[in-house]
Amino acid sequence: MSSERTRDFGRYVAAADDDVIICRCEEVAKGEIRRAVRDGLFTVHEVRRLLRCGMGLCQGNTCARLVRGIIARELGVAADSLVEATGRAPARPLEMRVFAREQGL
Amino acid sequence: MTDTFDVIIIGAGVIGNATAYYLARRGLKVAVLEKSDHIGGGASARNGGGVRQSGRHPAELPLAMYGVKNLWPNLSAELDLDVEYYRAGNLRLGKTGAHLDILAQLVQSAEAGGLDMRLIGAVEARGICPGLAEEVIGAGWCPSDGHANPLLVTLGYYRAARRLGARFISGAEVVELRKIRGRVAEVVTAEGEIRSAGRVVVAAGYESRKILSSVGLDVPMHPLQVECLVTEEAPPMFCQMLGTAMADFYGHQSRHGSFVFGGSHGYEAHAFYGQPLGTSIAASSVCRAIIGYLPALREIKIVRVWAGWLDECADHIPVIDNPAETPGLTVACGFSGHGFGIAPVVGILLAALATEETPVLDLSAFRYDRFRAQV
Ligand SMILES: Cc1cc2nc3c(=O)[nH]c(=O)nc-3n(C[C@H](O)[C@H](O)[C@H](O)COP(=O)(O)OP(=O)(O)OC[C@H]3O[C@@H](n4cnc5c(N)ncnc54)[C@H](O)[C@@H]3O)c2cc1C
């Protein structure tokens, strides 16, 4: 469905928990995510590309749902209407030398 | 009532977003229609971040050089976002005499275009980037090449254009362009919405082809799937862009410490066109190449691999033109894997084409009508 990216959010009202760290790997705070949404980043993919939340060592295993919830609340939509970030290989961090050995060398 | 704009841009990749920004900065009423639900999810969010001039086609070199000289240095300030641009040089590594021959040719072509690039020996190369394998015997060195964070550049242009009033609509797939009295003037989406504009800019990567076919244009290009990987974070090791004479891998270390590498495995042209899904062989072949040049990275862990599509043009350079047969239409596609580094200058050139001003650089090499029978 098409989505118009120009939207009036009204004035930013700081929240008491804006400083709480949501993504621990990359140290991204709740307030940063809220502001990014108001700056036009409306999807989990977009917010993580700008702020790196969910891009660290755990690849979002810990914070993915929290980030999605914050974006949804800022947009005033249900959290499950937002798709989660794409999961990609490897399932767990893996050494280069292991990848490089795929021909059994 | 249909919405009317000065310019409608199709595709919110780095090219479309940069163009939207430079047009909005001139005060024009701009709309950007993006097929995906996500802004910048195409090649622009998947690329290796190289801002290189060395190795570029002679026709494309002036664009790359203009960008590095005039636009990249100020881009972070301009976009109010640190885009992690490093102008720290590109080392293209060689291990054999045949590699050095390839590098010498690249140096010759750079010199012909007025770009400072030279051949250096192993000792100098290791002085620039300690940690290179013993087998490296020389390198091509271009000190003014570099890299930047493609996610931030793409979204930075989007954010800045949006702040200036450009309207972005995601989830809006363009299926048809329509002419009115001979001039391209309307854009139709899959949802059946029609918007009109004084000018339409098509910047939709490989899929530009399908859109252009609705007004009888065709650009000879094909999709190539290429892949990248990113590692866990590590202490700073090198700040240059690296590549090889064989182009088996390239990459850099990003600001937060991860290494971002890409490379080839030989089957790029045969991938099934659709969702860009990684193959099982790309990361392996790239890792083998990396370890062969940077043995210290053997033990570093990869956290993510991904794939993306290139819009590979028949002659490996893009079409950037207002085709004579379609007044009101500007075409920007076929970037052939180099569109990120030249995106800022292409944005400026497209803004000029869209307003029918004379662009700051000669674009005759990028004309739509340049393709002639080859036999
Ligand atoms: C893995 C990889 C590594 C790369 N490395 C480098 C590098 O190091 N240096 C460099 O300079 N370049 C590199 N490139 C190339 C560079 O990423 C591209 O040339 C550049 O991003 C092209 O930008 P674009 O805006 O034209 O395309 P895209 O970012 O693909 O944007 C096109 C947009 O159009 C949208 N679209 C498609 N069809 C429609 C439609 N019908 N209606 C509306 N919207 C539509 C798409 O969804 C997409 O968002 C690399 C590319 C890849 C894939």
Side-chain angles (χ1 to χ4, degrees):
Chain A
M1 225 185 46
S2 69
S3 156
E4 169 74 61
R5 296 308 188 96
T6 304
R7 204 171 291 184
D8 184 8
F9 285 94
R11 206 169 52 85
Y12 184 84
V13 182
D17 58 357
D18 271 357
D19 292 337
V20 171
I21 297 292
I22 300 296
C23 168
R24 287 186 289 183
C25 298
E26 297 295 317
E27 299 190 350
V28 181
K30 180 174 177 184
E32 293 177 80
I33 299 171
R34 292 186 57 208
R35 282 179 205 279
V37 174
R38 288 162 165 260
D39 234 333
L41 300 137
F42 287 7
T43 72
V44 175
H45 288 85
E46 292 167 12
V47 171
R48 83 198 297 265
R49 285 173 190 149
L50 186 77
L51 299 178
R52 292 195 48 79
C53 42
M55 281 206 181
L57 200 58
C58 91
Q59 287 287 298
N61 276 327
T62 320
C63 68
R65 307 198 63 178
L66 292 170
V67 172
R68 189 167 79 152
I70 296 165
I71 298 171
R73 167 143 347 155
E74 209 61 30
L75 287 173
V77 301
D80 60 11
S81 70
L82 297 176
V83 291
E84 284 187 32
T86 315
R88 294 193 196 279
R92 220 173 270 142
L94 196 63
E95 290 84 358
M96 275 204 190
R97 66 174 161 77
V98 178
F99 267 97
R101 246 183 6 227
E102 107 282 14
Q103 292 176 332
L105 303 170
Chain B
M1 207 191 76
T2 57
D3 269 347
T4 302
F5 298 89
D6 294 322
V7 183
I8 291 179
I9 297 166
I10 303 169
V14 69
I15 300 292
N17 293 350
T19 308
Y21 170 74
Y22 293 114
L23 286 168
R25 210 177 61 174
R26 295 165 176 233
L28 271 74
K29 190 178 172 199
V30 180
V32 184
L33 304 180
E34 167 56 50
K35 168 181 166 175
S36 160
D37 290 330
H38 313 284
I39 302 290
S44 302
R46 299 166 187 273
N47 71 64
V51 180
R52 297 201 259 201
Q53 312 148 97
S54 58
R56 289 294 86 96
H57 188 287
E60 203 176 298
L61 186 56
L63 274 59
M65 287 172 70
Y66 185 94
V68 166
K69 182 158 184 268
N70 301 299
L71 301 169
W72 280 104
N74 306 320
L75 195 58
S76 294
E78 173 111 38
L79 299 181
D80 184 28
L81 180 72
D82 183 349
V83 297
E84 302 176 359
Y85 172 55
Y86 289 81
R87 191 174 177 276
N90 182 64
L91 270 179
R92 201 179 290 261
L93 307 167
K95 288 180 175 176
T96 66
H99 291 174
L100 295 191
D101 289 345
I102 296 174
L103 296 173
Q105 265 176 26
L106 286 171
V107 167
Q108 215 173 45
S109 135
E111 276 171 351
L115 175 68
D116 175 21
M117 178 182 178
R118 59 200 168 84
L119 217 49
I120 60 174
V123 175
E124 196 175 347
R126 261 184 274 281
I128 294 168
C129 179
L132 293 176
E134 285 295 312
E135 293 86 345
V136 172
I137 58 169
W141 171 235
C142 176
S144 58
D145 277 353
H147 53 86
N149 183 322
L151 310 174
L152 298 177
V153 174
T154 303
L155 290 172
Y157 270 119
Y158 161 64
R159 206 178 67 158
R162 183 178 169 278
R163 284 178 181 172
L164 289 173
R167 269 180 56 198
F168 285 79
I169 300 144
S170 58
E173 178 185 3
V174 172
V175 292
E176 189 188 349
L177 305 177
R178 282 190 190 155
K179 290 184 181 176
I180 293 178
R181 284 187 292 279
R183 195 180 161 88
V184 174
E186 287 184 342
V187 175
V188 188
T189 65
E191 289 181 333
E193 284 176 314
I194 301 172
R195 294 179 179 84
S196 41
R199 172 155 303 263
V200 176
V201 179
V202 176
Y206 177 70
E207 289 173 76
S208 301
R209 197 163 186 181
K210 205 163 135 196
I211 300 167
L212 294 173
S213 73
S214 67
V215 286
L217 298 188
D218 193 28
V219 174
M221 52 180 174
H222 67 275
L224 279 185
Q225 185 180 283
V226 286
E227 298 183 44
C228 282
L229 57 87
V230 62
T231 71
E232 63 185 326
E233 295 171 19
M237 181 177 169
F238 59 89
C239 53
Q240 298 79 32
M241 189 80 191
L242 297 187
T244 68
M246 294 309 289
D248 45 359
F249 92 91
Y250 65 89
H252 68 277
Q253 187 171 22
S254 66
R255 166 79 53 85
H256 60 274
S258 298
F259 295 92
V260 179
F261 288 114
S264 43
H265 53 75
Y267 296 97
E268 286 75 13
H270 306 284
F272 178 74
Y273 186 71
Q275 277 293 336
L277 291 176
T279 61
S280 58
I281 54 174
S284 292
S285 89
V286 171
C287 285
R288 232 175 298 116
I290 296 165
I291 293 171
Y293 284 89
L294 297 164
L297 292 183
R298 275 174 62 78
E299 298 298 327
I300 199 159
K301 290 187 173 121
I302 290 170
V303 296
R304 194 174 174 84
V305 305
W306 68 89
W309 292 108
L310 302 184
D311 43 347
E312 184 75 16
C313 201
D315 56 5
H316 315 294
I317 55 172
V319 171
I320 304 171
D321 193 18
N322 291 345
E325 46 273 80
T326 48
L329 182 71
T330 301
V331 177
C333 62
F335 286 92
S336 306
H338 325 137
F340 173 67
I342 58 172
V345 65
V346 171
I348 285 192
L349 296 167
L350 287 170
L353 285 180
T355 50
E356 291 175 24
E357 284 173 14
T358 309
V360 289
L361 294 169
D362 174 25
L363 292 177
S364 49
F366 309 106
R367 285 170 62 117
Y368 168 75
D369 65 4
R370 68 178 185 263
F371 303 99
R372 300 269 184 269
Q374 294 181 341
V375 281

